[in-house]
Amino acid sequence: MVTSNTIEIRREHAQVPYRDALDTMTTRNAAIADGSAQELIWLLEHPPVYTAGTSADPQELLDPRFDVVQAGRGGRYTYHGPGQRIGYVLLDLTRRARDVRGFVHALEGWVIATLADFGVESWRAQGRVGIWTHGPDGREAKIGAIGVRIRRWVTMHGFSVNLSPDLSHFGGIVPCGIEEFGVTSLAALGRDVTAQAWDDAMLEHVDSFLAQLEKPCPPESA
């Protein structure tokens, strides 16, 4: 079984411009596929940016107040910015179960387990990609986003989790194309969680996440 001991773990303290991160990911993805670079888990934050996935609908870009970048990942429009922790996960699935749905399921489970460490119950919602919880008003709201791309069986992109972003910045888009639900954050739920504390908690679960990739995805109802 591949463990985190064989994977580069990179944690950024300064913000990384999205276009720079995308270039780095693209290069690293190809190098992993060629066997010339280690796999990578990269934790970071971006300056404010809207990213467009391959299914993005221009009508869902309501107010392009920030740079808009074609991301190449699956999904629709997403916001990234300060106070939101990003995890880019570049892994070679040929070393594992070669199950794309299983990879996404495991990624969601990794975020859900970490949120539980901070006392936040969260879940998957059938038909809605991402991580969901109850917002301060008790209504269901999105606290984390998932967007991935697979090239030559090597993953790229990953997840984002709202620690303490300016939630008004999500107003420039219809986040992930879902109009009827809002977004929330750990800060909005009364949890003061730093990037370092979040990263530490995530990495406590990293080997469990990797172990999930060794077996096929459970049924969709799981």
Side-chain angles (χ1 to χ4, degrees):
M1 182 178 72
V2 180
T3 69
S4 57
N5 293 331
T6 63
I7 298 170
E8 180 186 355
I9 307 292
R10 187 184 303 178
R11 301 168 64 167
E12 303 287 356
H13 301 293
Q15 294 175 19
V16 179
Y18 185 81
R19 293 179 188 274
D20 293 350
L22 186 58
D23 288 345
T24 298
M25 265 198 295
T26 302
T27 300
R28 185 64 168 259
N29 174 280
I32 293 168
D34 291 340
S36 59
Q38 273 184 295
E39 296 175 304
L40 173 66
I41 293 173
W42 191 12
L43 304 174
L44 69 156
E45 292 185 13
H46 295 306
V49 63
Y50 294 131
T51 71
T54 54
S55 303
D57 181 346
Q59 293 187 350
E60 293 170 355
L61 182 61
L62 307 177
D63 175 14
R65 67 189 83 164
F66 304 121
D67 191 20
V68 180
V69 181
Q70 299 295 321
R73 54 158 176 79
R76 295 163 94 158
Y77 283 106
T78 298
Y79 166 76
H80 296 315
Q84 183 190 72
R85 204 61 176 162
I86 310 293
Y88 291 136
V89 182
L90 287 84
L91 299 177
D92 184 354
L93 295 186
T94 67
R95 306 181 191 180
R96 300 173 175 88
R98 290 200 189 211
D99 184 341
V100 175
R101 191 168 67 87
F103 173 70
V104 173
H105 189 274
L107 204 58
E108 293 168 335
W110 190 15
V111 174
I112 289 168
T114 306
L115 285 167
D117 289 346
F118 297 101
V120 174
E121 181 186 6
S122 60
W123 52 85
R124 305 171 180 89
Q126 192 164 3
R128 288 186 267 131
V129 177
I131 309 301
W132 301 83
T133 189
H134 291 301
D137 61 358
R139 298 182 61 201
E140 202 170 6
K142 192 169 194 173
I143 195 168
I146 303 288
V148 303
R149 184 179 182 185
I150 315 291
R151 299 176 65 186
R152 295 172 62 190
W153 285 106
V154 177
T155 65
M156 57 191 297
H157 300 280
F159 63 84
S160 62
V161 177
N162 299 330
L163 305 184
S164 57
D166 183 337
L167 295 179
S168 72
H169 290 177
F170 286 89
I173 58 171
V174 178
C176 301
I178 301 172
E179 293 184 275
E180 62 269 36
F181 296 95
V183 293
T184 192
S185 67
L186 283 159
L189 297 175
R191 273 75 170 182
D192 181 11
V193 179
T194 65
Q196 180 174 338
W198 175 263
D199 291 356
D200 288 345
M202 283 224 86
L203 295 176
E204 285 292 319
H205 294 282
V206 67
D207 285 327
S208 295
F209 159 67
L210 294 170
Q212 289 297 311
L213 303 180
E214 302 291 332
K215 51 194 177 184
C217 185
E220 290 197 42
S221 60

